[in-house]
Amino acid sequence: MKHLPHKTIERLSQYRRALLLCLEKGKTHIYSHEIAKIQHITSVQVRRDLMLIGYTGTLRKGYNVKELIDLIGNIIDSEEGIKVAIIGMGNLGRALINYFAGKRSKLRIVAGFDTNPDKIGNTMSGVPCYSIEQLKEVVAAEDIKVGIMTVPADYAVDTADLLVKAGIKGILNYTPKPVNVPEGVYLEEYDMITTLEKVAFYVKLQETD
Amino acid sequence: MKHLPHKTIERLSQYRRALLLCLEKGKTHIYSHEIAKIQHITSVQVRRDLMLIGYTGTLRKGYNVKELIDLIGNIIDSEEGIKVAIIGMGNLGRALINYFAGKRSKLRIVAGFDTNPDKIGNTMSGVPCYSIEQLKEVVAAEDIKVGIMTVPADYAVDTADLLVKAGIKGILNYTPKPVNVPEGVYLEEYDMITTLEKVAFYVKLQETD
DNA sequence: TTAACAATGTTAAATTTTTAACACTTTTAC
DNA sequence: GTAAAAGTGTTAAAAATTTAACATTGTTAA
Ligand SMILES: NC(=O)c1ccc[n+]([C@@H]2O[C@H](COP(=O)([O-])OP(=O)(O)OC[C@H]3O[C@@H](n4cnc5c(N)ncnc54)[C@H](O)[C@@H]3O)[C@@H](O)[C@H]2O)c1
Ligand SMILES: NC(=O)c1ccc[n+]([C@@H]2O[C@H](COP(=O)([O-])OP(=O)(O)OC[C@H]3O[C@@H](n4cnc5c(N)ncnc54)[C@H](O)[C@@H]3O)[C@@H](O)[C@H]2O)c1
């Protein structure tokens, strides 16, 4: 398999999530148009993505849910799993940890970091909270590859630097402050305000025409 | 101005956020390559976006920060502002409300809704929490246009239906369960897991080549 | 049995988005 | 005073992404 488009990677992750729900409901097969409906895209898009990963369904019966879940896993997961840390155990950090707790996945949040002495030493939904001072040490010891940043915006840049120095390979930045990382570290940033402003814009647009 | 590309809308929102920070620092002018650096894109991209909205900077001095902020506001904001509600005042809902509190913006979170009697009647960072039973009534009374869904996943579909029935025009769904809305309601969905799995995928990819 | 149907898989076209190329204009340096 | 440098603005090209078109093939039903 060659390079999968970025967008396809995102959709594969989403397909899998939808498929897992279907599996729970006891569904064994699914059509491309059913997946499409769930994801608000077209069935052609789905078939094209599956073509790219070389999966072929059964004519007239659709795709085997279990097989497809496994195949997507082979593609996007790392075999050994990837360990994740959360930096900043506040409201958002807590929301993310809760959300993950209980999910069986190749991605595991294994550590949290904070500067607040009241939080350091506790665990939250099974995730231990360390001092930010211990970052490098714990990242190395646990072989943590990915860091999720949920610190106050003013600490975003410094925190990113710390993560890079600690040897983290991927950063997901939820603060509204863009940060910089060197070559070799994959960075993804998300700010809710952008999304909300986009929704508001299209609501306005819809009203004025 | 004709149709602005979706991606441009997103970037304009991001530019503005970056520009507001620059303004705070007392910067009056900014070059396209400076904006580009912050947003991890190219300066051509920035200039092209600004061309699309018809803004022209000063040769050799770059763009006037204040003017540009205002212009972006004229394009993406609604004049009267847009009111927003949060459905589900849990960890994530609280994080979002805190995040918004204090931000002066055309987008205002004016109401929260929950089913938990302990929460109903309280306020959180100045946002009153109503019973979900009152949704339709409050949405109508306040003229709320956008709803942010942060309820447990199992209630996502029902909540979306309630929002639509209440007359909401835009929904931002933060639960991991995709929902459906009729024509005329703008829907945006975001799931952290997709983003995290994407980061993990590219980390893995980088390691294997 | 055979025609109509309903699904997949794939190639080609269309659209959207990004990047490159370059003309133009101040400012700076000598 | 002139050449070089460093910006912007715009058109054209390239790349990425989505959509359309359609060939193919089991399945169903008359
Ligand atoms: N992307 C989004 O959609 C979104 C939504 C809400 C909030 N946010 C952002 O996420 C961040 C966290 O928001 P929150 O509501 O959880 O804030 P919070 O104040 O509840 O939590 C921040 C936590 O970080 C800790 N902290 C402070 N400095 C630190 C440091 N240097 N290193 C490690 N930990 C440190 C604090 O002790 C606290 O526990 C903020 O930047 C906020 O703007 C983003
Ligand atoms: N998109 C993301 O990145 C992300 C991250 C974390 C959590 N989540 C999702 O966000 C949602 C909320 O997460 P959380 O950690 O805040 O959960 P939570 O349990 O802390 O909060 C849920 C809140 O919704 C309320 N509620 C329950 N049923 C309701 C109903 N029918 N109507 C209105 N309110 C109702 C509960 O009383 C509670 O206050 C979950 O679906 C979770 O999976 C998404």
Side-chain angles (χ1 to χ4, degrees):
Chain A
M1 195 179 325
K2 293 198 285 272
H3 292 330
L4 292 171
H6 278 229
K7 287 290 179 67
T8 295
I9 298 295
E10 287 178 15
R11 282 192 298 263
L12 287 174
S13 163
Q14 285 163 355
Y15 297 165
R16 176 165 64 173
R17 209 116 26 73
L19 291 168
L20 285 166
L21 291 177
C22 291
L23 197 63
E24 277 180 20
K25 288 191 203 138
K27 213 163 155 57
T28 63
H29 287 77
I30 191 167
Y31 298 123
S32 61
H33 67 259
E34 293 177 298
I35 300 179
K37 179 94 186 295
I38 298 172
Q39 303 298 149
H40 315 300
I41 55 177
T42 67
S43 62
V44 186
Q45 183 84 263
V46 175
R47 292 203 298 279
R48 217 174 181 304
D49 285 333
L50 300 190
M51 188 189 93
L52 289 175
I53 64 173
Y55 183 65
T56 104
T58 319
L59 195 44
R60 268 312 266 224
K61 285 185 74 178
Y63 304 95
N64 181 304
V65 175
K66 184 121 190 24
E67 272 177 27
L68 189 45
I69 289 172
D70 289 344
L71 178 58
I72 293 177
N74 287 343
I75 291 165
I76 66 179
D77 290 336
S78 296
E79 202 150 340
E80 344 71 71
I82 282 199
K83 294 189 188 173
V84 179
I86 294 215
I87 329 302
M89 302 277 270
N91 284 308
L92 188 56
R94 196 160 47 240
L96 297 180
I97 287 174
N98 276 343
Y99 181 35
F100 256 87
K103 288 233 174 13
R104 194 199 323 269
S105 157
K106 290 284 185 182
L107 291 170
R108 273 171 305 140
I109 298 180
V110 298
F113 295 89
D114 209 295
T115 47
N116 185 334
D118 294 343
K119 299 190 176 173
I120 297 167
N122 296 341
T123 72
M124 187 179 288
S125 301
V127 177
C129 179
Y130 300 96
S131 159
I132 190 74
E133 307 287 336
Q134 298 171 268
L135 183 68
K136 191 160 189 171
E137 172 196 337
V138 176
V139 165
E142 291 264 18
D143 192 28
I144 295 170
K145 290 275 167 53
V146 171
I148 302 179
M149 291 178 36
T150 53
V151 296
D154 286 342
Y155 299 99
V157 172
D158 290 347
T159 301
D161 289 346
L162 284 179
L163 285 170
V164 169
K165 284 211 197 89
I168 286 279
K169 294 299 179 211
I171 293 179
L172 177 43
N173 177 17
Y174 277 107
T175 80
K177 245 330 183 341
V179 301
N180 288 300
V181 296
E183 191 82 3
V185 176
Y186 185 89
L187 171 69
E188 191 84 23
E189 310 199 303
Y190 178 81
D191 186 355
M192 202 210 70
I193 298 220
T194 297
T195 314
L196 191 54
E197 288 189 338
K198 190 177 168 195
V199 172
F201 174 80
Y202 284 108
V203 165
K204 170 182 105 164
L205 203 65
Q206 220 155 31
E207 283 189 341
T208 57
D209 60 27
Chain B
M1 192 179 324
K2 294 198 285 274
H3 292 331
L4 291 171
H6 278 232
K7 286 291 177 67
T8 295
I9 297 296
E10 287 179 15
R11 282 192 299 262
L12 287 174
S13 163
Q14 285 163 356
Y15 297 163
R16 176 165 63 173
R17 210 117 25 73
L19 291 168
L20 285 167
L21 292 177
C22 291
L23 197 63
E24 277 180 23
K25 288 192 204 138
K27 213 164 154 59
T28 63
H29 288 78
I30 191 166
Y31 298 124
S32 61
H33 67 257
E34 293 177 299
I35 300 179
K37 179 94 186 296
I38 298 172
Q39 302 299 148
H40 314 299
I41 57 178
T42 67
S43 61
V44 187
Q45 184 82 263
V46 174
R47 291 204 299 279
R48 217 177 182 303
D49 285 333
L50 299 190
M51 188 190 93
L52 290 175
I53 64 172
Y55 184 65
T56 104
T58 318
L59 197 43
R60 253 336 252 222
K61 286 186 73 179
Y63 304 96
N64 180 303
V65 174
K66 186 127 190 20
E67 272 177 28
L68 189 45
I69 289 172
D70 289 345
L71 178 57
I72 293 178
N74 287 342
I75 291 163
I76 66 180
D77 290 336
S78 296
E79 202 148 342
E80 344 71 72
I82 283 199
K83 295 188 186 173
V84 179
I86 293 215
I87 329 301
M89 302 275 271
N91 284 307
L92 188 56
R94 195 159 49 238
L96 297 181
I97 286 174
N98 277 343
Y99 181 35
F100 256 86
K103 289 235 175 8
R104 196 198 322 267
S105 156
K106 290 283 185 182
L107 291 170
R108 273 172 305 142
I109 299 181
V110 298
F113 294 90
D114 210 297
T115 47
N116 184 336
D118 294 344
K119 300 191 176 175
I120 297 168
N122 296 342
T123 72
M124 187 178 290
S125 300
V127 176
C129 180
Y130 301 97
S131 158
I132 189 76
E133 307 287 336
Q134 298 170 267
L135 183 68
K136 191 161 190 167
E137 172 195 336
V138 176
V139 165
E142 292 263 19
D143 191 27
I144 295 170
K145 289 274 167 53
V146 170
I148 302 178
M149 290 179 37
T150 53
V151 296
D154 286 343
Y155 298 99
V157 172
D158 290 347
T159 301
D161 289 347
L162 284 179
L163 285 170
V164 169
K165 283 209 195 90
I168 286 279
K169 293 300 180 211
I171 294 179
L172 177 44
N173 177 18
Y174 277 107
T175 79
K177 242 340 180 332
V179 301
N180 288 301
V181 296
E183 191 82 4
V185 176
Y186 185 88
L187 172 69
E188 191 84 23
E189 309 198 304
Y190 178 81
D191 187 353
M192 202 211 71
I193 298 221
T194 298
T195 314
L196 191 54
E197 287 189 338
K198 191 178 168 195
V199 173
F201 174 79
Y202 285 108
V203 166
K204 171 182 103 164
L205 203 64
Q206 220 156 30
E207 283 190 340
T208 56
D209 58 30

